[in-house]
Amino acid sequence: HAASVEAALSNVRLAKQKIDRQHADSTRGYNVKLGRGGIREIEFIAQALQLAHGADDTWLHAPHTLISLGRLADRHLITERERTELSDAYSFLRMLEHRLQMEHGLQTHSVPDEEERRALVARRMNFHAHDALAEFNLALALHTTRVRAAYERVFGETQQPPPAPIPQHAKDKAAIATDEAAFNTTATVADEAAASAVDEPDVAATADANAHAAPSRASRLEATTPHADADTAATLAAANVFATRLISDSSDLNQHAPASESDAGKRVARLLHEAAHAGSLNARRALSYVARVAASLDKSNTVVELSEAHLCSLVRLCGASEFFGEMLASNPALINSLLTSAEAVRERDYRALLRAEIDREGSFRQELIALRRAWSQLLVEIGARDSLGELPHADSNRLQTELATASINAAYLVARREMARRYGNLAAGPRLSVLGLGRLASGGMDYGSDLDLVIVYDSQVPSPVAALTRDEAYTRLVELMVSALSSLTRAGYLYRVDLRLRPDGKNGALVRSSASFVEYLRTRADMWEWLAYVKLRAVGGDLELGRAVEREARSVIHERARGADREELRLETRRVRERLERERGASHQASRGAIDIKFGAGGVLDVYFAARYLQLRDDVEDEGRDRSTRTTLARLRDAHALDAANYETLAAGYAALRKLDHHLRLIAGRSSRLPAAADHAVLRDLARAADYESAAALLAELEQRTKAIRAAYAHITSIET
């Protein structure tokens, strides 16, 4: 094992040395991606340690750098300090990368050396004081120095002492800029060995014994003592931050205010501890994320007034969800959204709320920030009620789908406004429609879901910009819309936008005329594309146009399916499904028995492909606005395309898998893989959240469900009637 670790580290180290040699003579300024202490070094740290240790630990197989850093720290492969410093640096450098690329969309990664241009970058990075350039330079030095130190420690390139300290004022400014970088809906998992609540210390009692040694603020959050002492110190530090922000309410905590700040901190620490163990899914996760939220709040200028109810809700949400713990740690102002009632959440008009926020702003940049700020608040409202069981997961999916469609329309509005700023008032429209596929089309959006989109414009309407052709104008409009949805700003991003299912895939135009889209489906679309497009639904832009295109597209697909060879359709369905299982599912499941509930055998995709195959084989169209898989299965049963036994198997199995998928996303972020070990901390949490008696009971039922789904899928796609 030691040899394999060394080999993995050596291979990555050699790759980075090659990059350094290739860019050694560059004179174009510091490269934030490839330079010393840059983004690539952070990625190499994460990837090398994943390669070195991931064969024996599937939990390290995380797709996102920030998720990886958290999990590496949980396994003690990097220190907590390194995790914090590398995460902060990654957010700062990613934001800097996007700032550098904002001007004319240039794909540059170099910070200019010219003082005037560099000062402009500093202002874009939220450094606004009279010495903004100097503070930006110091902040950049802070982050890159820390990254390089961690890189050299991991790869054993130097035994030199730590670098000279960075001036405190630069640290503070860098912290503010990092706080305003993108929030990341990512996960860090609590240490499995300490996940059980029975191992938690009595926070208040331990705090009393150690109060004389504890600083009063979040500096103790960087404690490197053993877990129990570090958790206690971190909780007390968090409590001291929160205590100064408590507002008067009816709670005993505030009715009888302690005589000193120290006493207030101890009492809030007791409150946090009791809330974590009485009402949270995972007490250690709760206190860990609460400490991170407090640290972020303490070093920012955010004004947040807290009640005891806010604190209890914060603890419960952090204990239930790493996904939201990360959001709150990146943006503590979101605490204000935690107490919105389930009734109010259900009644939200997301489109009106997002529109109102955008209308207050007058520039593309500020509109993007306002859109992200409002979206984050609305998503946290859903998550807070969801984590308490006040929103059934079907309601959560519906609300998230409504929020996604409202976000698409808000992004379209932002894009149109920016086009008008650049080219003057738009004529003849524009008339554009956004068509959804996948979860967006079926109404099943969930935490971390992508937006799978196809975008078309009206073939009969002239170009909205006189100086541009229709294709040029609509392409620029769509680029701005996608940027509004997915680009990383200091307020974060909303969704990953996936346009790969558009006609001709990655080689096709981002947007095309409605007539050419329908013609593509009629003459050139492959059979496997029918399986995706059969769920097409208009979700944004001009809905009249979109619904007309949707109807015509479905009609063409069913017409082609009716004329197709049924055996060829069956074989193509199986080919595509088996390819996805082979490439995405089997490799995951082969690693220490991890269970992939989406791509693996008997997973969600078996249900999807069985249902879509039967829709095309037996010409069963989706009617009405409900395109959910559950409703499609019922339609297939009613049309006698699906027998009663297979319907019951697929419907019940799909409901069980989607429930697990929903809770897994809430707990650990976007993932379709479950650990197979019944004593795994995440599996224990998932079992509790999904109302199973134990993790073993969850695994036993899951095995039965997936075997039954696979048998039904095999039966459906192996017969010809």
Side-chain angles (χ1 to χ4, degrees):
H1 177 72
S4 64
V5 170
E6 178 55 35
L9 295 178
S10 177
N11 289 337
V12 176
R13 180 169 56 242
L14 290 173
K16 182 59 170 67
Q17 289 171 349
K18 182 178 179 181
I19 291 173
D20 289 344
R21 287 194 299 271
Q22 290 174 343
H23 291 82
D25 298 329
S26 175
T27 58
R28 295 183 298 173
Y30 175 72
N31 189 307
V32 300
K33 188 170 185 178
L34 302 177
R36 184 181 178 89
I39 292 170
R40 188 56 53 84
E41 289 192 0
I42 303 174
E43 294 172 341
F44 276 12
I45 290 170
Q47 292 165 10
L49 292 175
Q50 280 182 306
L51 288 171
H53 301 278
D56 298 322
D57 190 348
T58 57
W59 189 243
L60 295 176
H61 298 182
H64 193 290
T65 299
L66 288 172
I67 301 175
S68 298
L69 293 173
R71 296 183 182 182
L72 291 169
D74 292 335
R75 295 296 194 257
H76 309 293
L77 297 173
I78 61 175
T79 67
E80 283 295 332
R81 183 184 294 274
E82 285 174 332
R83 189 269 292 274
T84 299
E85 291 178 352
L86 291 173
S87 297
D88 286 350
Y90 189 80
S91 295
F92 180 88
L93 293 170
R94 277 296 189 195
M95 183 171 72
L96 176 55
E97 179 185 40
H98 281 270
R99 290 292 182 271
L100 293 170
Q101 295 175 357
M102 281 178 64
E103 189 69 23
H104 306 303
L106 296 177
Q107 293 300 304
T108 181
H109 300 92
S110 295
V111 181
D113 287 331
E114 298 90 336
E115 186 169 311
E116 184 176 344
R117 293 178 59 203
R118 198 176 181 103
L120 176 61
V121 172
R123 290 194 296 273
R124 286 179 173 168
M125 287 292 292
N126 200 42
F127 292 84
H128 297 301
H130 68 281
D131 55 349
L133 177 58
E135 291 190 348
F136 165 74
N137 289 335
L138 287 168
L140 181 60
L142 165 70
H143 288 301
T144 55
T145 300
R146 286 175 168 176
V147 170
R148 190 63 186 186
Y151 178 87
E152 291 177 341
R153 201 271 308 165
V154 168
F155 291 99
E157 291 194 354
T158 182
Q159 299 297 324
Q160 295 177 359
I166 304 296
Q168 184 60 44
H169 71 279
K171 292 184 181 180
D172 294 340
K173 194 67 177 181
I176 292 172
T178 300
D179 285 344
E180 292 178 334
F183 66 82
N184 291 277
T185 53
T186 58
T188 54
V189 181
D191 190 313
E192 291 177 38
S196 175
V198 298
D199 294 331
E200 292 293 337
D202 185 302
V203 172
T206 311
D208 288 341
N210 297 299
H212 66 280
S216 63
R217 286 284 180 258
S219 60
R220 284 301 299 271
L221 298 180
E222 296 183 347
T224 56
T225 52
H227 283 306
D229 290 342
D231 290 347
T232 299
T235 303
L236 180 59
N240 287 333
V241 173
F242 292 139
T244 62
R245 291 167 169 81
L246 278 175
I247 59 175
S248 297
D249 60 16
S250 59
S251 70
D252 176 73
L253 182 73
N254 297 294
Q255 288 288 326
H256 306 285
S260 68
E261 181 180 324
S262 176
D263 289 339
K266 293 173 189 175
R267 298 196 68 188
V268 175
R270 184 177 290 110
L271 168 67
L272 298 177
H273 178 73
E274 291 174 355
H277 290 83
S280 70
L281 185 67
N282 184 308
R284 189 167 193 276
R285 182 193 300 123
L287 294 174
S288 173
Y289 274 107
V290 165
R292 289 183 58 192
V293 171
S296 181
L297 183 62
D298 192 46
K299 65 184 181 181
S300 75
N301 296 325
T302 303
V303 177
V304 177
E305 293 185 333
L306 303 170
S307 66
E308 182 177 347
H310 280 104
L311 291 178
C312 289
S313 184
L314 173 65
V315 172
R316 286 193 293 267
L317 184 55
C318 287
S321 176
E322 293 168 354
F323 181 94
F324 284 105
E326 290 287 344
M327 285 185 68
L328 289 158
S330 297
N331 185 1
L334 293 172
I335 295 173
N336 291 326
S337 301
L338 293 176
L339 299 184
T340 307
S341 70
E343 291 74 19
V345 171
R346 288 190 179 95
E347 294 173 0
R348 291 292 197 209
D349 183 341
Y350 293 130
R351 190 164 181 173
L353 290 169
L354 295 180
R355 174 68 183 261
E357 292 300 316
I358 293 168
D359 282 344
R360 296 190 180 99
E361 307 300 337
S363 71
F364 185 66
R365 177 174 175 270
Q366 290 303 321
E367 287 166 354
L368 262 58
I369 292 171
L371 176 58
R372 282 148 175 71
R373 182 173 58 241
W375 178 89
S376 300
Q377 293 167 354
L378 295 170
L379 189 65
V380 167
E381 289 182 353
I382 296 172
R385 297 307 103 199
D386 190 350
S387 66
L388 291 177
E390 296 177 9
L391 287 177
H393 80 265
D395 284 358
S396 178
N397 290 158
R398 176 182 59 80
L399 291 168
Q400 290 187 66
T401 302
E402 291 176 2
L403 180 57
T405 56
S407 300
I408 290 169
N409 283 288
Y412 180 43
L413 172 62
V414 170
R416 292 201 334 254
R417 290 182 173 182
E418 181 61 14
M419 285 287 286
R421 294 184 192 106
R422 296 185 183 187
Y423 300 104
N425 291 333
L426 304 182
R431 196 167 189 224
L432 174 146
S433 181
V434 181
L435 306 170
L437 299 164
R439 286 192 178 222
L440 179 62
S442 63
M445 289 292 291
D446 216 330
Y447 306 114
S449 292
D450 292 350
L451 296 179
D452 296 306
L453 305 179
V454 173
I455 306 174
V456 298
Y457 63 81
D458 190 343
S459 311
Q460 306 301 315
V461 176
S463 171
V465 179
L468 302 174
T469 67
R470 282 188 309 188
D471 285 339
E472 289 172 339
Y474 280 108
T475 296
R476 295 188 187 185
L477 181 63
V478 168
E479 287 174 343
L480 288 168
M481 186 179 76
V482 171
S483 178
L485 286 166
S486 62
S487 67
L488 190 64
T489 75
R490 67 183 177 91
Y493 76 104
L494 307 186
Y495 301 97
R496 286 174 290 268
V497 176
D498 192 342
L499 297 168
R500 289 175 296 176
L501 284 173
R502 67 187 185 269
D504 296 316
K506 65 181 181 180
N507 297 320
L510 289 180
V511 58
R512 62 196 306 151
S513 72
S514 54
S516 69
F517 173 63
V518 173
E519 183 63 16
Y520 173 85
L521 295 179
R522 179 174 286 113
T523 61
R524 295 199 294 120
D526 291 328
M527 194 173 280
W528 69 265
E529 292 178 279
W530 305 350
L531 295 165
Y533 285 134
V534 75
K535 304 298 286 188
L536 198 72
R537 182 169 72 91
V539 295
D542 190 315
L543 291 180
E544 181 183 9
L545 169 66
R547 287 168 183 160
V549 172
E550 173 194 318
R551 287 191 299 271
E552 192 171 1
R554 281 207 316 275
S555 176
V556 167
I557 290 168
H558 280 274
E559 179 184 349
R560 290 193 66 185
R562 285 192 297 271
D565 182 276
R566 296 181 116 193
E567 178 65 5
E568 185 181 355
L569 177 62
R570 182 184 71 82
L571 292 174
E572 181 67 359
T573 301
R574 291 186 65 90
R575 182 192 70 80
V576 177
R577 173 64 184 106
E578 288 165 8
R579 177 184 172 186
L580 289 170
E581 182 178 346
R582 183 173 61 252
E583 295 179 355
R584 302 289 299 276
S587 61
H588 294 165
Q589 294 191 195
S591 181
R592 295 189 66 188
I595 303 167
D596 195 312
I597 61 175
K598 180 179 180 180
F599 293 98
V604 169
L605 288 189
D606 275 7
V607 184
Y608 286 169
F609 276 88
R612 296 177 187 186
Y613 164 66
L614 291 175
Q615 279 188 275
L616 295 178
R617 189 195 73 179
D618 291 5
D619 198 18
V620 179
E621 286 200 43
D622 279 318
E623 299 174 352
R625 304 311 300 164
D626 186 349
R627 307 288 170 79
S628 68
T629 299
R630 296 181 184 89
T631 301
T632 298
L633 291 172
R635 288 195 181 107
L636 291 168
R637 177 200 58 194
D638 296 343
H640 306 292
L642 180 63
D643 63 64
N646 281 330
Y647 166 76
E648 292 295 337
T649 295
L650 294 180
Y654 179 76
L657 291 179
R658 282 300 303 272
K659 182 178 182 180
L660 290 178
D661 174 79
H662 175 72
H663 286 293
L664 182 61
R665 286 170 179 265
L666 184 60
I667 291 169
R670 171 180 167 147
S671 176
S672 63
R673 291 154 53 198
L674 304 183
D679 62 345
H680 197 287
V682 170
L683 199 62
R684 290 197 302 267
D685 287 349
L686 183 60
R688 289 182 60 195
D691 300 321
Y692 286 88
E693 291 184 0
S694 65
L698 184 159
L699 290 174
E701 180 177 325
L702 181 60
E703 182 179 14
Q704 292 177 350
R705 295 286 191 193
T706 53
K707 284 182 177 179
I709 290 172
R710 173 45 61 100
Y713 165 79
H715 180 257
I716 290 166
T717 60
S718 297
I719 60 175
E720 184 58 37
T721 59

